[in-house]
Amino acid sequence: MLAVMSNKDVAVLILAAGKGTRLKSSLAKVLHHAGGRPLVDHVVRACVPLHLKKIISVVGHQAEQVAAALEPFGVTTVLQQPQNGTGHAMLVSKRAIGNAKYVVVLPGDAPLIRTETLRALTQKHKSANAAATILTAVLADPSGYGRILRKSGDAVAAIIEESQLAPDQRELNEINSSIYCFTCAKLWPALAQVRPNNKHREIYLTDAVSILNAKGETVLAEIAADPREALGCNTRADLAGVDRTFREWKREQLMRDGVSILLPETVLIDPDVTAGEDTILEPGVQLLGKTRIGRRCTVRTGSILRDATLGDDVVIEAHSIVDSSRLDSEVTIGPFARIRPESHLHKGARVGNFVEIKKSTVGEGSKVPHLSYIGDAKIGTKSNIGAGTITCNYDGFAKHPTTIGNRVFVGSDSVLVAPVKLGDGAYIAAGSTITENVPADALGIARGRQATKPGWASKKRRELAGNSSHATKKTKRKKRR
Ligand code: UD1
Ligand code: CA
């Protein structure tokens, strides 16, 4: 195996100053999301493992926001104002690139690039002692991209932008990814000769390639093993296409880790999500943010989990939502359950259909099986909350807590007006409106007494029947006349 070369003589320059006019957006292009992250975020993450001398980014449009997105990665930013083209962006960054021997250039809008590909590109460039090495791809539809004009073998004569293609060059289907490795000592003099000879009056980095070639320098092309790594995002359709690829790669990774996914193309998973062996994801599931799922869980169709933490053997029945909450092992929720932020369902707890839980704890083995709202509540272990129980946690001014102990039985359709406490083993009669604390093992009952009137119904029916036969006789008589 080849010894991995050090990259301490390589600076990276990410081009991220452009507006992205073709996206028709107020947001800078490189901040648009694909695969669950801003485009430029993916690009930096691909570079970091290469242990480079320096990562630099040119920023311009929405410079502050773009710089803020890059800051956590320790990227040096250079302001390009105005944005006079990719070659101009390089010139503006010359001082920041400094005495690095090589510079790897990446566009901020091509997020599918992988570390291994960049490593191979720089190694090829260094060992061939080239002036420039271009990452290229062969595409079925090359429209919109600059095309590679080959000389012989690996060597490149020029990059021709789409707008400058001669009629016989339209057939060229090898494209410029805009990812390059340059030897700085060769690049700078060539770039100094580039003129803004296009309709946008911009300095194109691509023009430096034909100048290098004319000087007799070595310009090489490295074809990307997976052509998708070269894809840029100029339009919303490009963004959607790139997003699809990211999602596909993420699903493949989870499947390799032992997760079953049914109709995988319908399942959307963010990059930081993890899931354990033998977990099953049904069609139409979304796993978002930092969701972590244990082993042998089932997430059924239509469910959305965001920043959720699930233990082992958890079942999320169809069409349930979990947001920023923890579900311990053997918990079952849904169908149609909604778990809102800061909730914690302990081992074996069960939350059934049409139940909303907000900022609440449900203790081990406790059940809230049907049609309830539980907010700002603490429920102990092995308690049963009957159908339709509501915690009235809000009085129009402030939120108040409800505390329910262990082995409490709350009858159906009860209203618990907070702040209120139900002691261990307490019993709440169905249909009660509880406004006062109920001590341990007591019965709380708060509802109107039932009155039963024998024979009332049949008497009523006779009365009503008498009235109506009277009415029909009258109408019949009218008709006969
Ligand atoms: C560029 C290449 C094209 C290649 C394609 C690959 C040029 C002239 N053309 O075209 O050969 O096939 O990428 O996706 O280089 N940027 C700046 N400052 C500027 C202009 C652009 O930072 O003044 C940044 C943009 O933010 C973007 C990147 O450079 O991230 C590429 O610019 P873009 O306008 O998207 O170039 P393309 O037309 O796609
Ligand atoms: Ca582009």
Side-chain angles (χ1 to χ4, degrees), residues 219-374:
V219 180
L220 300 179
E222 162 94 341
I223 300 179
D226 186 337
R228 294 177 293 186
E229 286 188 73
L231 297 179
C233 297
N234 294 329
T235 64
R236 302 265 176 177
D238 293 342
L239 278 175
V242 161
D243 184 68
R244 170 178 285 134
T245 300
F246 272 121
R247 305 300 182 178
E248 190 182 319
W249 286 353
K250 180 66 190 182
R251 291 189 303 256
E252 284 168 358
Q253 180 218 317
L254 285 188
M255 290 194 269
R256 277 194 301 274
D257 293 348
V259 176
S260 287
I261 308 182
L262 308 182
L263 295 187
E265 58 286 359
T266 68
V267 174
L268 189 105
I269 308 174
D270 274 352
D272 292 331
V273 171
T274 61
E277 281 171 29
D278 295 316
T279 281
I280 300 171
L281 308 176
E282 286 194 350
V285 161
Q286 294 191 29
L287 305 178
L288 308 175
K290 304 220 180 302
T291 293
R292 302 163 62 87
I293 299 180
R295 295 163 178 243
R296 299 176 303 277
C297 294
T298 302
V299 185
R300 294 204 194 281
T301 204
S303 293
I304 303 174
L305 277 52
R306 181 187 297 279
D307 298 326
T309 306
L310 273 54
D312 299 332
D313 305 292
V314 171
V315 178
I316 309 287
E317 296 288 1
H319 303 287
S320 296
I321 295 177
V322 180
D323 190 355
S324 310
S325 290
R326 224 175 107 185
L327 278 58
D328 291 347
S329 293
E330 294 164 44
V331 162
T332 298
I333 69 161
F336 301 99
R338 180 178 181 205
I339 313 296
R340 292 172 52 197
E342 293 180 57
S343 295
H344 185 177
L345 314 187
H346 288 256
K347 190 172 179 213
R350 197 153 74 77
V351 168
N353 41 226
F354 308 106
V355 172
E356 176 179 344
I357 307 268
K358 187 218 97 177
K359 210 176 181 177
S360 295
T361 321
V362 180
E364 203 172 314
S366 286
K367 292 172 187 164
V368 192
H370 337 263
L371 301 154
S372 283
Y373 170 65
I374 303 294

Side-chain angles (χ1 to χ4, degrees), residues 3-42:
V4 176
M5 292 185 202
S6 154
N7 287 315
K8 285 293 166 201
D9 48 1
V10 181
V12 155
L13 179 67
I14 299 170
L15 306 176
K19 180 170 189 290
T21 313
R22 289 162 282 187
L23 284 178
K24 301 204 170 71
S25 170
S26 56
L27 187 69
K29 169 154 75 175
V30 298
L31 296 180
H32 277 260
H33 280 238
R37 291 193 174 118
L39 299 180
V40 73
D41 198 309
H42 289 287

